[in-house]
Amino acid sequence: MYPPSRKDFISLTLSDPHSHAYNNGKHRRQSCWRKWKQLSRLQRSLILFLLALLLIFGLLSYPSLSEQWRGKQCPKLSLSLSHTHTLSHTHTHTHTGRDRDRVFSAGAVDRLEAVRDAFRHAWKGYKDYAWGHDELKPISKSFGEWFGLGLTLIDALDTMWIMGLKEEFADARNWVEKQLTFSKNVDVNLFETTIRVLGGLLSTYHLTGDQLFLEKAKDLGSRLMPAFKTPSKIPFSDVNIGKGTAHPPRWTADSTLAEVTSIQLEFRELSRLTQEPQYQEVVNEIMKLVHKLPGKQDGLVPMFINTNSGQFTHKGTFTLGARADSYYEYLLKQWIQGGKTEDELLEDYLQAIEGVRKHLVRQTGPGRLTFVGELSHNRFNPKMDHLVCFLPGTLALGVHNGLPRDHMDLAVELMETCHQMYKQMETGLSPEIVHFSLQASDGRDVIVKPADRHNLLRPETVESLFYMYRFTKDTKYRDWGWDILQSFNNYTKVSDGGYTSINNVRDPVNPGPRDKMESFFLGETLKYLYLLFSDDMELLSLDKYIFNTEAHPLPIWPSPPK
Ligand code: DMJ
């Protein structure tokens, strides 16, 4: 855990194993030898006899001693015993009695409680030092502002509700009611605001039935609409929600592909709730356009699209990572949201997964780990962003909804690789980007370049672990998630409250805190961990809800879209 002040960081470096501290071992060895020589022959024989006896005794009793030792090394057992006693008195969950019994059975209690503890700790930091601001800076005990919309607070609303943190939720609701306003002269990013704020408000409305959240969602949705007034109908990246104006980034007229194709679940839901069709019309238009656009390669899409021409730009580079990732995720999820009736979405998804298999999936030389690389003008690059770890979960969700069984085989293999991206690091945390070895003669499968060693508390791996556990019930996925939570606690937790992104997952002595807690740590990472450890399969059932790309659950529609 990170200590509170700079002074304490210095004390961490004192334990550096490479430090040249004075060592008098040699002198000690010499004087022992001199004393041994001074003993009589009888004394020496006696001592040797006693040592031999001790050795024989030690060898005989080794199996039982080692058993005892192994028993002592099992912290999970003692943790679960102590927690089951206290929880029955202190827990204040909002689920029904029957649900509550199910959630807290089968020894999952300690893990669920550990995630709630982590959430409370993160929330404490946010409340103490960043209340109502976008992000906590836990080391400097201050805050960072991105759009000035209380991003962390809104991203975390439904997580608190799901975890049954009533008091925390009530405080946050009060802030939304009294302080949250969208009538301010500020440029916001359309995608980020949609997935975090609009998505967060809509899901909280569904979970609570509280009109306040729907009213706020409507207000925000209507203020984001100017982004779609472009010659091509491909939206601009930025909107001023106070002035009602929109524009692309200063340096280009392009928008990022993932950004314009991963706002659909939220806008479509807003139309369904308000009975105002304009929201779904603008986002459906984008999907139709991209569906028939030239420049794809076996369903894989370039990373940029021009807001004037409506054409792909920077063609020839294909990735499942940054700038393209959630395009693929939302193809499948829109199809599920709309009751599996929109054939073009399914067609594009299935074609894309075949494209992924054909062009991007490879195995490492040393350990045969399956991974998804990148393609740049027909050259394969064995590079994979941590962001790509959403894919096992998405593939598994597709199979659960009737898509080809062999997608699950790929999901299982990729899940193992994402797990290894954590396991093979000294801190047990994945870097932002890894490269894989293709040669069998290379020593290791995973290579991390110095610029890629950071960890931003991202959710994608625990997100996929959640899906994989729900669909397979294989407890190894829970164990992997548990290890990740321990690593977050060991290397990113800041003692006075909050968790921080770190600079170097390969340096457990000084991982280099970045002084930033991303809002998705509360909105996604901790939520997925909680759902992973919950035994209650009806808690946000995947047959009733679809999670947006920021982990905000929205209902699967009871009837197909009009
Ligand atoms: C989140 O905002 C979303 O999950 C998005 O799709 C990708 N980036 C972050 C989390 O890593």
Side-chain angles (χ1 to χ4, degrees), residues 191-192 195-196 325-326 329 387 458-460 463 520 524 549-550:
F191 164 73
E192 298 291 355
I195 65 168
R196 300 186 198 212
D325 48 358
S326 42
E329 179 189 349
L387 288 168
R458 284 197 192 277
E460 290 75 19
E463 168 185 353
F520 51 68
E524 296 194 69
T549 193
E550 189 75 5

Side-chain angles (χ1 to χ4, degrees), residues 297-421:
Q297 190 162 336
D298 294 312
L300 302 177
V301 288
M303 293 146 74
F304 295 97
I305 188 162
N306 190 275
T307 52
N308 291 320
S309 66
Q311 300 294 314
F312 291 130
T313 64
H314 301 76
K315 288 189 207 158
T317 302
F318 303 102
T319 173
L320 265 273
R323 299 185 185 281
D325 48 358
S326 42
Y327 160 73
Y328 303 99
E329 179 189 349
Y330 268 37
L331 285 174
L332 178 73
K333 288 184 172 178
Q334 287 175 80
W335 178 69
I336 296 172
Q337 178 189 43
K340 305 188 211 174
T341 54
E342 297 153 284
D343 295 341
E344 284 187 354
L345 294 168
L346 177 62
E347 208 181 288
D348 287 351
Y349 176 75
L350 289 173
Q351 205 195 358
I353 299 305
E354 284 322 298
V356 170
R357 278 186 189 288
K358 186 170 164 192
H359 300 289
L360 305 182
V361 171
R362 295 278 189 286
Q363 284 197 328
T364 59
R368 317 301 301 165
L369 288 180
T370 303
F371 69 94
V372 180
E374 298 184 351
L375 201 63
S376 187
H377 304 286
N378 291 322
R379 272 180 67 114
F380 182 76
N381 183 0
K383 159 185 179 272
M384 180 166 141
D385 294 350
H386 180 271
L387 288 168
V388 181
C389 289
F390 80 92
L391 190 58
T394 298
L395 289 168
L397 180 65
V399 174
H400 180 71
N401 281 280
L403 301 191
R405 286 289 320 161
D406 60 358
H407 286 198
M408 195 62 182
D409 302 336
L410 180 58
V412 169
E413 288 174 22
L414 290 174
M415 192 74 261
E416 170 69 36
T417 303
C418 291
H419 164 59
Q420 291 298 332
M421 285 162 61

Side-chain angles (χ1 to χ4, degrees), residues 8 26 53 57 61 81 91 119 129 147 225 232 253 264 277 314 317 322 365 373 426 428 440 481 493 498 503 506:
D8 292 342
K26 195 174 160 206
L53 263 184
F57 175 77
S61 55
L81 284 176
H91 191 68
F119 184 95
Y129 310 118
F147 311 135
M225 289 299 275
S232 65
Q264 278 65 13
H314 301 76
T317 302
E426 287 78 353
K493 191 171 181 179
N503 278 325
R506 309 225 62 166

Side-chain angles (χ1 to χ4, degrees), residues 130-255:
W131 185 248
H133 296 286
D134 283 341
E135 285 152 346
L136 169 68
K137 296 172 90 174
I139 304 287
S140 57
K141 298 182 181 172
S142 59
F143 57 84
E145 215 66 289
W146 192 5
F147 311 135
L149 298 179
L151 274 191
T152 298
L153 188 146
I154 298 178
D155 230 356
L157 281 168
D158 55 7
T159 307
M160 289 185 274
W161 185 263
I162 293 160
M163 290 183 180
L165 299 170
K166 284 181 175 172
E167 276 176 33
E168 291 85 344
F169 181 85
D171 286 348
R173 187 207 177 274
N174 195 35
W175 183 87
V176 172
E177 185 182 15
K178 308 262 167 54
Q179 311 282 325
L180 178 62
T181 171
F182 298 122
S183 116
K184 44 166 65 171
N185 179 5
V186 60
D187 276 355
V188 304
N189 175 283
L190 171 69
F191 164 73
E192 298 291 355
T193 308
T194 299
I195 65 168
R196 300 186 198 212
V197 185
L198 186 58
L201 292 168
L202 288 173
S203 72
T204 309
Y205 165 68
H206 277 295
L207 295 177
T208 62
D210 185 337
Q211 286 293 323
L212 167 72
F213 299 107
L214 181 56
E215 291 309 318
K216 292 288 179 190
K218 281 191 217 166
D219 184 20
L220 176 60
S222 66
R223 288 170 186 276
L224 293 173
M225 289 299 275
F228 299 89
K229 287 193 188 122
T230 67
S232 65
K233 300 196 176 141
I234 296 297
F236 289 131
S237 59
D238 298 280
V239 200
N240 187 307
I241 51 174
K243 288 192 193 159
T245 54
H247 59 87
R250 236 173 266 134
W251 58 92
T252 175
D254 291 350
S255 284

